Amino acid sequence: MERTFAIIKPDAVERKLAGQILARIEENGFTIAGMKKIQLTRKQAEGFYCVHSERPFFNDLCAFMSRSPVIVLCLEKENAIADWRTLMGATNPANAEPGTIRKDFAVNIEENSSHGSDAPETAAFEIPYFFSALELV
Ligand code: UDP
Ligand code: MG
């Protein structure tokens, strides 16, 4: 069993797509080990995306991620990290495979509805950024 970290981003929560995204998560064999709705502060968004701090999209990304609530999730499954990335689709919805969350729901490359850890080391940073061990079951 592997755990990954996921976010249903502000654009999706605002458009009331959380239920449809959660249904896809469960239909695809993931177990929800942890879930909560929170609104990130600007500083919390900057800390979460610190690996991107030198990228040109960093400021806009942090403003977007803190503008309204998100749903943060810890998902469990064999091969959870890679399988959740596959289910989300490419970062830019224009390049995402048909049937993926980003193809079906994303607004554009920034407002792309979902986040997923890209490697075990990333998941090991991201999961405890939002969840204590006692919140994961
Ligand atoms: N992003 C953006 N412009 C870009 C690339 C990324 O606004 O050119 C945003 C987008 O919301 C993306 C996030 O920054 O999901 C993190 O980028 P990353 O390259 O890590 O993509 P992801 O891992 O989310 O597919
Ligand atoms: Mg990434």
Side-chain angles (χ1 to χ4, degrees):
M1 278 303 164
E2 184 175 67
R3 282 176 170 172
T4 192
F5 176 72
I7 305 179
I8 303 176
K9 291 185 177 182
D11 67 287
V13 176
E14 288 166 3
R15 290 177 291 142
K16 307 211 182 293
L17 296 169
Q20 290 185 64
I21 293 172
L22 289 168
R24 291 189 186 203
I25 286 169
E26 293 199 314
E27 285 161 8
N28 283 274
F30 294 89
T31 295
I32 297 171
M35 174 165 68
K36 52 192 171 187
K37 185 180 184 187
I38 56 173
Q39 182 161 1
L40 294 176
T41 64
R42 178 67 183 242
K43 286 269 175 270
Q44 288 167 341
E46 288 171 0
F48 178 70
Y49 278 121
C50 61
V51 294
H52 292 315
S53 62
E54 303 305 319
R55 308 289 287 279
F57 57 81
F58 180 70
N59 278 330
D60 283 352
L61 173 62
C62 294
F64 160 56
M65 289 299 292
S66 57
R67 80 177 181 205
S68 66
V70 296
I71 293 172
V72 293
L73 296 148
C74 177
L75 304 179
E76 200 167 69
K77 183 184 183 295
E78 271 180 36
N79 207 32
I81 294 170
D83 286 358
W84 173 236
R85 298 280 306 185
T86 300
L87 187 57
M88 286 200 301
T91 308
N92 185 345
N95 304 328
E97 294 294 323
T100 60
I101 288 167
R102 284 164 163 173
K103 182 59 131 192
D104 291 346
F105 300 131
V107 177
N108 56 42
I109 192 172
E110 176 181 85
E111 300 198 15
N112 60 4
S113 302
S114 58
H115 167 85
S117 307
D118 63 5
E121 313 79 64
T122 321
F125 166 74
E126 293 179 349
I127 294 168
Y129 195 85
F130 290 98
F131 293 103
S132 74
L134 288 173
E135 294 176 305
L136 299 176
V137 290

